[in-house]
Structure formats: C-alpha cells, structure tokens
DNA sequence: ATAAACCTGTGACAAAAGATACAAGTTGAT
DNA sequence: ATCAACTTGTATCTTTTGTCACAGGTTTAT
C-alpha cells in the first residue's frame, strides 16, 4: 500500500476527528503520532480469513466489503464506507485474535490504521474514544441482528428487493447478478431468475449491470 | 416479581462480582446501592418487543430465551444462563431505546437489575465495568456472526444437529420438537421429519421430549 | 479488430423447506 | 379414571432454492 501526500492525509485525519467529535488534545496528538494512513486498490484484501489482526482499520475513502466465505459461496457481513470502522478489527483490539472474515476493496480508497495496543488503552483513557468504541459495537450489533432475522424469515425474493433498495442511489443499483449473489449468500442463477420475476411484476427494470427500482 | 431473602441476594451479587473480577470498592458499593435483584417465574417475560428498556438485566439463576418473532415464527438470538448479561439491554443503556426482541423465562430464576443511567457512567469510570461491557459486546457479536453464517450456509438438518449437540447435557437434550422449531426459526413438522432422518441415519435416538446423540 | 473475460437468460431437474390435514400416543390435573 | 393439553408421526402437495448445461450479448484490453 502506498502513502498519500501529507496534505491529503492530514485532511482525512481531520475529517475523522471531526466526524467522531474527538476533542481531547492528547488523543489527537496520539492519533497523529501512532496512526498511519495507507491507500488500497480495488480488489486488494484488507483482512484475510485466519490472519491475525494487528491494526484497527478505519476506512477514510473508497468502499470495502467484509464477508464470510464457505466453499464457493459468500455472505456479506457489512460494507464499510468513508469514516466507518471495521467492527471486527475493533473487537480484535481487545484480545489478540484471528480474523474469521475477509475484507476486500470494491473501490480504490484509503484507510486509517491504528495499532491494536493503543485502541484498548484509549477506550478507557479518552471519553470520546470510549463513545466511539461503544457506538461502533452497538450499531454493528443491531445491524447484524436485523439482517439475521431477515435471513431467517424473509424469502430471498424479498431480501433481494430490500437489499437493492438499501444499496441503490437514486433508485439505481449498478451491480452484476454475480455480485448480488455473493452479497446475499446464494448463486448467480437464482438472482437472475428472481430479478426476472421482479421485472415481470414491474417492480424493477433491468439493464447491463444496472437495476432500476420503480 | 418477588424478592429473595436478603441472605440469598447478597450471595448472588457476590457471585456476580467475583465472576466478573470486579475489584473497585466504590463500584461494589454502587452495585449494592443501586442494583436490585428480582425473581421471575417460568413463562414470564423479562423484555417485550417494542417496550422501552429501563434496566440492564443480568441473569443470576435460571434460564432466559431471547428471540425475535415474525408472525407465528421465532428465531433464537441467544440463551441467557447464570451470570450472563442481556447484550441488547446493555446496548440500550447507551441510548434510550426500544427493545426489538422478547426475553422469556424458560425456568424460574433471578435477575440483577441495574438502571440504565448508571451502566453508561460506570463503563468509563470503573475499569472492571469497562472490561465487562466490552467483553459482553465482543462475545455476543462473535456468537451472532457465527450463527449468521450457519444460517446462511448450512442446511437445516446440519444446523439442527449442531444445535442439539450445543445445548445437550451428557448427550441428552430434553426439548419438544415444537420448542426446537421456535429456536431454529422453522416449524414443528420440519423438525420432526429431520429428526426421523437423523434417527434413521443412527445419529440420534428419539423419545418423548428427549433426544439422545449417539 | 479481435480475443478473452465478463454478464445475462433460460430450460430442466433435484433437493430443501413450508403448509395442510389427520391420527395416535403421552402426560398431568382434577 | 377421564379429559384436556401436549407431543409425535406421517402422507401429500406446493413453493423456494440450488445445480447443471448451454447460448448469446457486452465490455475491455491489446
């Protein structure tokens, strides 16, 4: 991973500090001192299943998919977008542990890396870091429970439609059927079939790598 | 909910303090002061969907099922056994919020109640409470991810067998097919059918409300 | 311009899970 | 002892999801 120009890096770190309402001067100094920003390219792995996690990853730009794999199937755990923190690497900060997920870049971007040993200390030392930590857990946990119960109760057709709506911009989602299959934990043919049904029901229109919700 | 004899209550609170290695004298005093123990009977609801959560619930004895419901189906989120904390009520401590789950007693028992406003304060004020908080989130999150991916990838037959093994004592599980169906998010007939298959495969033997893993 | 890689559609079939309906055994309270 | 409530078994049918196989369109890099 390369490094960005100092100027860009400073700007990004500032954004992060502002987003999470970090006030403590000492903490800001420690962040400047101990964290570092690195860039990643589309397709690059940020975390690999079974590897030890050594740094907390906070995405500053780009988009990262965090998922579990099982043979040739996958299921999305969450997407990381700018200013979002990988909850699993945060969790690892409190006890050295191996990753049981993969994180792959879907777009080029940048990530703030904080070595795990600091993250735990800070969470008791600095109130804003404490709040950040707890909020990250809370939000991730509730997001996961929501998806857990969708997975248990909703037929795939409904989950697919919900997902398209959640991820779309201005009602349009540019994604291939194969990508959707990976995110939803199924196979490409099934997604193609369901999308055709949704199109027949006049709920969406389909194009190459593009789905429009009506 | 009734109250236990002072003697029993003291003993239980002591157990809790020991289990979570709480050392701070001030915190122990606050616990004695602000927390209270109540008992519950089998079948009683500790938390109801859509109600505001006002106290952190820590089970001291008995067994509690926390689940989500959807029409006539349910899915288990987790079971609480002695000394375990309801992660969802913990989460609610950091921002007043409604429950989106139910918690029902499967056996008579007791619960330590701590009003939410203290829980947040303590997590930054006392190191052992901070550790307790973080650990609760970490463990619950990782347990949930594990089950999420089982739900996504494993056929019900395998999930059922795994579940029976996880919950059994000395290879025996005393539970009706209907109860298992609720915990696994399916219907009774499906469980009966799968259990018969497992019996035919000589993996379990079946009796009235009793499944023995071979 | 052309090949390779990617993307979409679809038919046919298999397996898994859900729904409905009914029968019969077991347990527990009175 | 008897009835109600609970528990288990099972046959049939439908729906949903997964698998395999193949055809043809689109995009991208060289």
């Amino acid at each position: 991973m390369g490094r960005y120009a100092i100027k860009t890096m400073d700007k990004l770190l500032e954004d992060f500090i502002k987003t999470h309402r970090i006030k403590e001067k000492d903490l800001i100094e420690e962040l400047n001192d101990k964290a570092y920003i690195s860039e990643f390219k589309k397709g690059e792995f940020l975390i690999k299943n079974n590897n030890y996690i050594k740094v907390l990853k906070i995405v500053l730009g780009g988009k990262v998919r965090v998922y579990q794999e099982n043979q040739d199937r996958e299921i999305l755990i969450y997407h990381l977008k700018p200013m979002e923190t990988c909850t699993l690497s945060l969790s690892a900060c409190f006890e050295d542990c191996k990753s049981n997920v993969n994180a792959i870049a879907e777009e080029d971007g940048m990530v703030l890396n904080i070595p795990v040993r600091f993250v735990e200390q800070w969470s008791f030392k600095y109130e804003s870091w404490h709040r950040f930590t707890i909020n990250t857990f809370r939000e991730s946990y509730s997001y996961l429970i929501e998806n857990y119960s969708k997975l248990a109760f909703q037929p795939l057709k409904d989950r697919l439609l919900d997902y398209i709506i959640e991820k779309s911009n201005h009602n349009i989602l540019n994604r291939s059927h194969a990508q959707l299959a990976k995110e939803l934990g199924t196979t490409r043919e099934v997604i193609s079939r369901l999308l055709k049904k949704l199109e027949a029901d006049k709920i969406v229109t389909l194009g190459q790598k593009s789905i429009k919700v009506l």
Side-chain angles (χ1 to χ4, degrees), chain A:
Chain A
M1 288 196 272
R3 300 292 168 103
Y4 267 63
I6 297 295
K7 191 139 191 181
T8 316
M9 287 172 56
D10 281 357
K11 172 76 174 57
L12 285 167
L13 188 52
E14 231 172 73
D15 281 355
F16 172 75
I17 288 167
K18 204 172 289 175
T19 302
H20 292 289
R21 305 196 312 280
I22 293 173
K23 307 286 184 206
E24 298 93 331
K25 273 192 189 161
D26 290 355
L27 175 53
I28 292 170
E29 198 168 311
E30 287 209 62
L31 273 166
N32 271 299
D33 222 38
K34 287 151 184 161
Y36 60 93
I37 292 174
S38 54
E39 66 177 310
F40 55 79
K41 293 285 174 201
K42 182 176 172 175
E44 194 174 304
F45 281 94
L46 274 75
I47 295 177
K48 272 198 172 175
N49 191 12
N50 259 318
N51 283 179
Y52 277 96
I53 294 177
K54 301 206 173 306
V55 292
L56 174 64
K57 303 264 182 192
I58 298 165
V59 169
L60 299 179
K63 195 168 146 203
V64 174
R65 180 169 93 250
V66 178
Y67 63 94
Q68 281 216 323
E69 58 184 348
N70 181 282
Q71 285 154 214
D72 52 341
R73 301 259 284 282
E74 293 182 3
I75 183 116
L76 180 71
I77 308 289
Y78 47 73
H79 271 121
L80 294 174
K81 283 172 291 183
M83 298 304 139
E84 290 183 346
T85 307
C86 179
T87 309
L88 283 154
S89 72
L90 176 62
S91 173
C93 293
F94 293 89
E95 189 167 314
D96 260 9
C97 66
K98 273 187 195 174
S99 161
N100 50 1
V101 298
N102 293 299
I104 192 170
E106 292 194 339
E107 296 170 4
D108 296 356
M110 287 148 289
V111 65
L112 178 66
N113 302 275
I114 308 175
V116 295
R117 65 185 177 285
F118 302 122
V119 177
E120 181 172 15
Q121 294 170 20
W122 295 352
S123 78
F124 191 63
K125 194 167 162 194
Y126 301 113
E127 193 147 9
S128 61
W129 195 259
H130 178 256
R131 183 172 26 76
F132 163 73
T133 304
I134 300 279
N135 277 342
T136 301
F137 276 118
R138 287 186 62 231
E139 284 159 21
S140 304
Y141 193 66
S142 100
Y143 182 71
L144 188 57
I145 283 202
E146 198 184 315
N147 286 322
Y148 185 67
S149 106
K150 280 187 186 172
L151 189 54
F153 297 129
Q154 294 195 349
L156 189 49
K157 192 180 176 185
D158 298 356
R159 278 204 300 137
L160 173 59
L161 182 57
D162 276 11
Y163 189 76
I164 291 170
I165 292 169
E166 178 191 334
K167 297 292 183 183
S168 64
N169 281 315
H170 304 296
N171 293 326
I172 296 192
L173 182 67
N174 292 352
R175 212 165 294 204
S176 74
H177 300 182
Q179 281 173 294
L180 284 170
K182 293 206 159 190
E183 286 156 9
L184 293 171
T186 182
T187 57
R188 200 269 311 165
E189 295 90 329
V190 173
I191 296 291
S192 293
R193 184 201 292 149
L194 292 175
L195 282 174
K196 269 292 152 194
K197 278 189 201 158
L198 288 172
E199 193 181 39
D201 296 346
K202 307 209 182 302
I203 297 171
V204 302
T205 51
L206 304 176
Q208 275 287 115
K209 278 187 99 164
S210 123
I211 300 163
K212 184 173 184 181
V213 183
L214 301 178

